[in-house]
Amino acid sequence: MKRALVLGVEHVMGACLCESLTQHEWEVLGVVSNTDTKAPVLANLTLAELLPEDLDFLYQLAEEVDTVFFHQPYESDDSCAPFSLETIISLCENLHLQLVITTNQYDFSTNWLPSLAFWRKKSPIPVSVPNKLLKRLEAARPHCQQIHVVCLGHTLDCRNSEGYLGY
């Protein structure tokens, strides 16, 4: 059984990720930063409350998983994430884990080819990631199992079995 660490379970995207992962038989360790907020109650989901000063405990939890899912909030809303993206990238490098960054922050790179009738291949929409982050992810790539950036707009839902996170 695959094991995931999902940060921000008390937020909509984290809850959706947990729901999708548990439906696909993942064992999930969910991290919340505030137990006063709603978090999903699901089979195969274990919750842990972590604050920024609990970095050692985050590493202990991460040693139990294969993949770390981190939803990057909007730049103006960093307060909802107890750990920075840099901290999470370093964690995945140090433990040689797969990292999946979900976000609705970056721009989509539009391509006119999908509008052609013969183009029916289902594939992710290219995302324009800021150069500084792209360079950091490229530097981390040799030390991580894999790194994925999945951009989710307001019209996409990972609970959709036809969506990219539904697999």
Side-chain angles (χ1 to χ4, degrees):
M1 180 176 277
K2 295 181 191 174
R3 296 187 61 144
L5 177 66
V6 177
L7 289 98
V9 174
E10 71 268 29
H11 303 290
V12 173
M13 184 52 61
C16 289
L17 282 168
C18 288
E19 185 179 322
S20 181
L21 291 169
T22 58
Q23 285 177 356
H24 291 89
E25 299 181 12
W26 284 63
E27 190 172 319
V28 180
L29 292 170
V31 173
V32 296
S33 58
N34 183 351
T35 56
D36 293 336
T37 58
K38 286 189 174 183
V41 177
L42 304 165
N44 296 336
L45 171 63
T46 303
L47 296 174
E49 181 182 12
L50 293 177
L51 300 173
E53 57 269 16
D54 296 325
L55 189 58
D56 290 338
F57 187 42
L58 175 66
Y59 268 80
Q60 287 176 355
L61 292 175
E63 288 174 350
E64 304 288 325
V65 302
D66 310 304
T67 305
V68 175
F69 288 85
F70 178 80
H71 183 71
Q72 183 175 4
Y74 287 105
E75 289 178 22
S76 61
D77 194 20
D78 286 339
S79 62
C80 72
F83 302 102
S84 69
L85 179 56
E86 176 57 37
T87 299
I88 301 305
I89 292 171
S90 296
L91 170 101
C92 292
E93 284 178 306
N94 292 334
L95 299 177
H96 197 63
L97 298 172
Q98 178 170 257
L99 171 62
V100 178
I101 302 168
T102 60
T103 184
N104 47 9
Q105 177 173 325
Y106 305 129
D107 294 329
F108 294 110
S109 298
T110 57
N111 185 342
W112 58 272
L113 283 176
S115 64
L116 299 176
F118 66 87
W119 191 267
R120 296 288 183 224
K121 180 181 177 188
K122 184 177 179 175
S123 61
I125 300 168
V127 178
S128 297
V129 177
N131 277 341
K132 182 178 177 183
L133 176 58
L134 186 60
K135 287 179 182 179
R136 178 62 181 102
L137 294 175
E138 287 174 354
R141 185 182 348 197
H143 306 286
C144 296
Q145 284 284 331
Q146 292 182 354
I147 300 174
H148 302 277
V149 178
V150 181
C151 193
L152 305 168
H154 296 288
T155 60
L156 298 177
D157 189 341
C158 65
R159 292 176 290 185
N160 179 0
S161 62
E162 298 296 317
Y164 294 108
L165 293 179
Y167 291 109

